[in-house]
Amino acid sequence: MSNKNKNIQVNKSSAIKVYKYTLFQIFLYRYGNIIATLFLGFHFLTSAVLMFQKWYFGILFILNMFLIFILNKHFLKTYKYFPFLVKADDTKMICSNFFLSTKVIEIRYDEITEIKGGIFSGHITKPIYIAAKGNKEIGFYSHAGNFNKLLTQILQYIPQDLYNSSLKKIEEFKKAPKSKRNKFI
């Protein structure tokens, strides 16, 4: 009878948990750049036409071009690294539902080599990237959906030396003077 209880406890602790974004967040992270690029593109074209009439529209032309470039660079990175569905247990994560892709990435916690970005770089709202052996890398926003719980689970099972170095990064940021922190935000 005690063996049955042990098996039940093991099965409960290794239950698969599902982490995903809300429908609004999925729409925003997948298609937000299209809407923003259309608006910026309209301003870009009008600035291009008007810069030949007034010189200061050239500044708006360059600014719009820069914003379109930065926005699309960010979203291309999101498309490549962000799974919109993660299933995780106490040994691994299975990441799927990438934008326009059927790829599935499985990352075991003991394969994780680096955790960067987000709170580990002092930017709470920026994405967190998980790198693992075999050139596997995923990203997610810890403040969106229930991915904060995923980060907690990842930190619970990663190798101890990586856990210690990750906590050290957070502590260093907390100890930094406010003026130094504001430079990074």
Side-chain angles (χ1 to χ4, degrees), residues 45 73 90 134 182:
L45 292 176
K73 181 180 174 188
D90 57 355
N182 289 338

Side-chain angles (χ1 to χ4, degrees), residues 52-154:
F52 294 109
Q53 296 173 5
K54 302 281 183 178
W55 68 269
Y56 49 83
F57 283 103
I59 296 170
L60 292 175
F61 173 80
I62 293 169
L63 179 64
N64 283 315
M65 184 173 54
F66 178 73
L67 289 175
I68 290 170
F69 174 76
I70 295 297
L71 178 72
N72 285 299
K73 181 180 174 188
H74 169 73
F75 273 92
L76 287 174
K77 194 171 184 181
T78 301
Y79 295 156
K80 183 177 180 182
Y81 294 114
F82 282 54
F84 288 93
L85 178 65
V86 177
K87 295 177 182 176
D89 60 14
D90 57 355
T91 58
K92 67 183 178 300
M93 298 181 294
I94 301 172
C95 309
S96 61
N97 198 9
F98 290 85
F99 185 68
L100 296 177
S101 176
T102 58
K103 71 179 175 180
V104 175
I105 298 176
E106 182 177 315
I107 298 176
R108 297 182 53 82
Y109 297 122
D110 58 356
E111 294 176 340
I112 295 175
T113 57
E114 183 179 21
I115 301 175
K116 59 186 176 183
I119 61 172
F120 303 103
S121 65
H123 303 280
I124 296 171
T125 58
K126 288 193 176 184
I128 293 175
Y129 293 95
I130 308 291
K133 295 175 184 171
N135 291 329
K136 299 176 190 175
E137 187 171 357
I138 63 162
F140 58 88
Y141 288 98
S142 64
H143 64 278
N146 56 355
F147 281 84
N148 204 14
K149 292 178 183 176
L150 174 63
L151 178 60
T152 303
Q153 185 170 348
I154 291 169

Side-chain angles (χ1 to χ4, degrees), residues 123 178-185:
H123 303 280
K178 286 186 179 185
S179 61
K180 193 172 186 180
R181 279 190 255 167
N182 289 338
K183 290 180 183 178
F184 298 110
I185 296 176

Side-chain angles (χ1 to χ4, degrees), residues 141-182:
Y141 288 98
S142 64
H143 64 278
N146 56 355
F147 281 84
N148 204 14
K149 292 178 183 176
L150 174 63
L151 178 60
T152 303
Q153 185 170 348
I154 291 169
L155 289 172
Q156 186 177 10
Y157 293 114
I158 59 174
Q160 187 66 37
D161 58 336
L162 180 58
Y163 176 80
N164 292 339
S165 66
S166 299
L167 285 183
K168 187 177 178 182
K169 288 179 191 176
I170 295 171
E171 289 173 9
E172 286 174 0
F173 176 72
K174 285 182 179 180
K175 289 179 183 178
K178 286 186 179 185
S179 61
K180 193 172 186 180
R181 279 190 255 167
N182 289 338

